[in-house]
Amino acid sequence: MLVHEAGDAFTIKQLRRRAYRLMALLGLRRVRLYDARSSCFTFLANNGVPDHILARWAGHTNIKTTKRWYVKPDAEDLRAAATTWDGLHGGAEDRQA
């Protein structure tokens, strides 16, 4: 939770406005905060952060909620899965021969 100097919580609209101003100031591409949140959790999950920690950080009581809405596979994840699949049915061996 982010708060004003007086200790009051920012509204979603205030947080979004401030985030977009900061992105512009830093010369960053403007992204929706939801997408940034999803990217953050996906990165953390792909780098070994345990599910229960991700859920806690996201403020969820159910790990499945975090995994369902915030952890998305990327192209590299799918490539690794395809390589594993090739090894299972012999595709990798065929290419080596």
Side-chain angles (χ1 to χ4, degrees):
M1 177 182 298
L2 298 173
V3 296
H4 293 280
E5 295 80 12
D8 298 325
F10 283 111
T11 65
I12 296 298
K13 189 175 184 177
Q14 291 169 326
L15 181 61
R16 189 179 305 120
R17 264 196 237 138
R18 285 178 179 243
Y20 289 158
R21 260 188 270 144
L22 184 59
M23 288 175 205
L25 180 68
L26 297 173
L28 300 173
R29 181 173 54 101
R30 183 173 168 161
V31 296
R32 293 183 315 161
L33 295 182
Y34 174 84
D35 294 329
R37 178 176 165 99
S38 180
S39 294
C40 175
F41 286 118
T42 298
F43 175 82
L44 294 172
N46 287 342
N47 285 279
V49 175
D51 291 347
H52 68 283
I53 301 296
L54 293 174
R56 181 67 182 243
W57 200 5
H60 300 148
T61 55
N62 188 332
I63 292 169
K64 290 180 183 179
T65 301
T66 308
K67 298 284 274 194
R68 178 177 179 198
W69 294 107
Y70 291 104
V71 178
K72 311 288 187 211
D74 62 15
E76 289 304 312
D77 298 324
L78 299 175
R79 192 177 339 273
T83 300
T84 301
W85 180 253
D86 282 346
L88 178 65
H89 67 74
E93 294 171 0
D94 293 341
R95 283 193 295 274
Q96 291 176 353

